[in-house]
Amino acid sequence: MSEFEVCLFKDDASIVAIGEGLLSATLPREAWTLEAHLAACSWLVRARGDIDTERELSLIIAA
């Protein structure tokens, strides 16, 4: 077992908020968990077809 507690999102709106916070660079650093990374990336691929995630994702995350 891991020493880290798993963070689940209670609804789709929570995932959208993570994704939008990432894009606007307003997501608090403590909210950028492994689960948030997975949720944001999944949301970007699914909901933001205007973003070329293969090319732009590392730049978005680094912002």
Side-chain angles (χ1 to χ4, degrees):
M1 230 23 188
S2 172
E3 65 185 81
F4 300 103
E5 188 174 323
V6 174
C7 171
L8 301 177
F9 300 99
K10 67 179 185 171
D11 54 27
D12 288 342
S14 300
I15 294 171
V16 171
I18 294 285
E20 289 178 347
L22 174 63
L23 288 179
S24 66
T26 60
L27 187 66
R29 186 169 188 78
E30 63 273 4
W32 189 237
T33 62
L34 178 61
E35 294 88 358
H37 188 123
L38 178 60
C41 292
S42 298
W43 175 79
L44 283 168
V45 168
R46 197 175 112 210
R48 293 298 306 265
D50 59 310
I51 296 174
D52 182 352
T53 52
E54 279 191 54
R55 191 178 53 162
E56 298 177 49
L57 189 56
S58 61
L59 298 172
I60 292 169
I61 291 173

